[in-house]
Amino acid sequence: EVQLVESGGGLVQAGGSLRLSCAASGFTFDDYAIGWFRQAPGKEREGVSCISSSDGSTYYADSVKGRFTISSDNAKNTLYLQMNSLKPDDTAVYYCAAAYLLSCSVWIRFPYSYYGMNYWGKGTLVTVSA
């Protein structure tokens, strides 16, 4: 059974940091794009960051570039998102996801790329107070 389990969300003040983790089981990261989406209340789900298992290249939404860092530990089948300089606009449920053979460029740039995901976690809530 495939599972993606996120952890690390919580309440933080603006300017603070959080580190999200996503533990995967039931599949390996080989041939998958893996990364993060987020969804704020009343808003569309958006791609935040993606890492390509083929070459380790990383992609970020413009809104988080320079503040968030995605990484993976393939030996542990775990994905991370280090979030620094958090803003109230970062408040959302953050979802870990995986897509077989999907381009990370599509993940970030195509508005409805979430339809292409093969696996989803249940999400972890990040709340940033002003």
Side-chain angles (χ1 to χ4, degrees):
E1 180 189 5
V2 172
Q3 280 191 315
L4 295 173
V5 180
E6 303 96 336
S7 60
L11 174 63
V12 65
Q13 287 188 328
S17 298
L18 284 174
R19 189 192 195 205
L20 304 184
S21 298
C22 172
S25 59
F27 77 109
T28 63
F29 291 165
D30 297 346
D31 296 327
Y32 282 84
I34 50 175
W36 301 89
F37 285 84
R38 69 184 181 185
Q39 189 164 19
K43 292 189 176 180
E44 200 74 36
R45 192 168 295 193
E46 64 169 340
V48 173
S49 184
C50 175
I51 185 167
S52 170
S53 61
S54 61
D55 61 5
S57 54
T58 57
Y59 294 74
Y60 299 93
D62 288 343
S63 57
V64 306
K65 205 170 291 183
R67 300 187 296 121
F68 290 11
T69 303
I70 190 171
S71 62
S72 67
D73 184 335
N74 288 3
K76 294 183 179 179
N77 241 28
T78 301
L79 180 70
Y80 304 99
L81 186 68
Q82 178 66 42
M83 305 187 296
N84 298 330
S85 303
L86 282 162
K87 305 175 182 179
D89 283 350
D90 295 318
T91 295
V93 178
Y94 284 72
Y95 298 91
C96 174
Y100 185 66
L101 295 180
L102 184 73
S103 160
C104 274
S105 179
V106 170
W107 184 303
I108 294 299
R109 295 195 171 95
F110 186 61
Y112 301 104
S113 62
Y114 52 83
Y115 284 113
M117 298 301 116
N118 295 98
Y119 307 121
W120 287 98
K122 292 183 178 180
T124 185
L125 177 62
V126 172
T127 304
V128 184
S129 63

